[in-house]
Amino acid sequence: MKKILVLNGPNLNLLGTREPAVYGRETLVDVERLCRDEGARLGVEVECRQSNHEGDLVDWIQEAGDKAAGIVINPGAYSHTSIAIHDAIRAIAPLPVAEVHLSNIHAREPFRHVSMVAPVAVGMICGFGPLGYTLALQALAARL
Ligand code: CA2
């Protein structure tokens, strides 16, 4: 069975504990369960990982180049700053990467309007909360 890696970046381990008005009430455990359930429905294996460290995300993106059919990534605040994550995604091309954000980054502070990941992603979904992860999984599964 083909595998899709779902990666979450810094502070997303805090989901459901603070800032519910921005990020909702669902925890990371809830979001990861939603992703695995959607994977089962789509007939793909979903493996979920979260890290607060940029290098972990870079290592996992590189690994996925050998063992996964695609990546769904919410790079958190690294979306706006990380040339390292941009380069790692470029390095595994043409493996498809879908970028997800829970919040609508374009309706927030100007520093969130730019994503370093968007130019190397096949697409980006933002503003739909956890549903965005399921939409991204559907989009990747449709390409397999
Ligand atoms: O909207 C998103 O998914 C973000 O990637 C979330 C990041 C933020 O830096 C991006 O601009 C947009 C922040 C994740 C922080 O998550 C928290 C969750 C609960 C409490 C505090 C932070």
Side-chain angles (χ1 to χ4, degrees), residues 5 9 11 24-25 50 74-75 80 105 117 126 133 136:
L5 200 57
N11 296 310
R25 295 201 176 274
Q50 185 274 333
N74 181 346
H80 317 301
I105 57 174
V117 172
C126 72
Y133 290 80

Side-chain angles (χ1 to χ4, degrees), residues 40-142:
R41 202 182 68 77
L42 294 166
V44 294
E45 183 188 346
V46 168
E47 183 180 324
C48 300
R49 297 187 191 173
Q50 185 274 333
S51 178
N52 293 327
H53 305 280
E54 189 176 20
D56 286 343
L57 296 165
V58 168
D59 286 345
W60 293 339
I61 291 164
Q62 288 184 9
E63 258 177 52
D66 300 324
K67 62 172 205 177
I71 301 176
V72 172
I73 186 167
N74 181 346
Y78 288 140
S79 317
H80 317 301
T81 61
S82 181
I83 297 169
I85 291 175
H86 172 109
D87 286 346
I89 293 171
R90 280 182 86 104
I92 57 161
L95 197 89
V97 175
E99 181 181 1
V100 171
H101 295 284
L102 293 157
S103 62
N104 179 355
I105 57 174
H106 301 292
R108 300 185 64 192
E109 304 95 321
F111 64 81
R112 295 186 205 274
H113 295 182
V114 172
S115 167
M116 297 286 157
V117 172
V120 285
V122 290
M124 197 257 264
I125 296 163
C126 72
F128 296 109
L131 175 68
Y133 290 80
T134 61
L135 297 174
L137 284 166
Q138 287 169 27
L140 290 186

